[in-house]
Amino acid sequence: MSTIDKLPSCEDPFDHLLPVDEARQRLLDTLQPVVTAAVESVPLTEACGRVLAIAVTAPFDVPPEANSAMDGYAISAGDIPDEGLARLRIAGTAWAGRPHVSQFVRGEAVRIFTGAVMPAGLDTVVIQEHVRADEHSVQIDNEVVPGRNVRAAGEDVAKGEAVFAAGRRLTAADIGVLASLGIVRVPVRQRLRVAWFTTGDELVSLDAAAGAAPVAPTIELDDNSALGIGPPGSGLLYDSNRHTLRALLSEAGVELIDLGVVPDTLAATRDAFVQASSRADLVISSGGVSTGDADFVRQVFHELGEVAFWRLAMRPGRPLAFGRVGDAIFFGLPGNPVAVVVTFLQFVLPALRRLSGESADNLHPMAFPATCLSRLRTSRGRTEFQRGIMRTDKDGHVVVESTGAQGAGRLSSMSAANCLIMIAPDRDSVQPGDQVHVQPLYGLMP
Ligand code: AMP
Ligand code: MG
């Protein structure tokens, strides 16, 4: 019996393939922040998600003065005797925003409300539930704890303290901290410029098709057919990857350069590469990266770029191209819609964050253990990323279930998922009750 000498393919055994974590670490070690990124000063209202260009130190204390954490009575703890009750005259009232300013006299208390500045000479607030008071005086027992219920000046942020390091990607809470420091404009790194295109003669660009057959702007709520522009035509499909990538990139806060759908020809693919690498810091393509006769991405990349093709021990996500074209970093993602999302999250997002100048110690996606409730089929030798739905069970443990059929073309299974289930290369199946790791799909970029 004769056999055919087989060429390399995605059905090869996995023993000599690069593990995912190692590939990602190599990638991060290779990449440096884009040096040409200029610094721009943006209003605080536009700074969320941007990467700080310089370190921020506190120009003053927050809170600027000691203030009360509770509604009650401000006193000097020294006025409280060891035994019995103290009766203190109420000298006035301190409101939030309206301090009590008169001279402090020994043995006096001040009625005080949350957020009001502590009157000079007083050091403790006794909450109103713990006193006996009338209009003119307050009685306090000896259970007073000196300094209680007072927020010290600078307790949140002290003047001169390093608040944020350069390279921090600003979160919503960071924006609040900057506001509390009176910072109205924020120096940030220019957004990373990311160009992307999809390849495939079977693809219909939604933008072009919608332009030709405009959808009525008014929507009949009981007529779903009015929502779209109809089927794409025989042998064709709508280009979903370009829109998935746009949405993923929008969340990542980069400058978007959409280069459209590129037909499966050598000339068009070369042209897309040249254009993309002259305009962007990072270039992403989808499809055309295998070795078929209509796969030109690999060929052009070999011709124009410095190639570091990876044979990765993962599924979905092979083949994946990575390297440099001119001054730009290039990722050639598979065409398969699920693989696009998986490879984007595993490789493109960490790379993009490093190139953006983010200084976070760990750019690997967050993963944590969960108990799998489903039976999963998998193959030894590679990390599988299956689509899952995670939740906490009644005992508060994290559990995960499969979204069902895992075909790599089923983008709807990705959309049903709230996490990726990672199945380690040493497993050939997962039984209900087994431990797996999950990567939440949202909040992947803290
Ligand atoms: P390829 O890697 O170009 O061979 O594509 C792999 C599979 O993904 C094929 O079934 C394609 O039709 C499909 N595909 C490729 N690009 C896209 C796209 N932009 N949108 C939707 N499906 C795609
Ligand atoms: Mg293709």
Side-chain angles (χ1 to χ4, degrees), residues 198-199 202-203 237-241 286-288 335-337:
T198 51
T199 67
E202 75 280 33
L203 301 178
L237 42 101
Y238 286 122
D239 170 17
S240 65
N241 289 348
S286 95
N336 193 306

Side-chain angles (χ1 to χ4, degrees), residues 25-41:
Q25 193 54 54
R26 275 200 208 174
L27 173 72
L28 291 171
D29 292 344
T30 311
L31 299 177
Q32 296 298 326
V34 173
V35 280
T36 49
V39 174
E40 50 183 332
S41 156

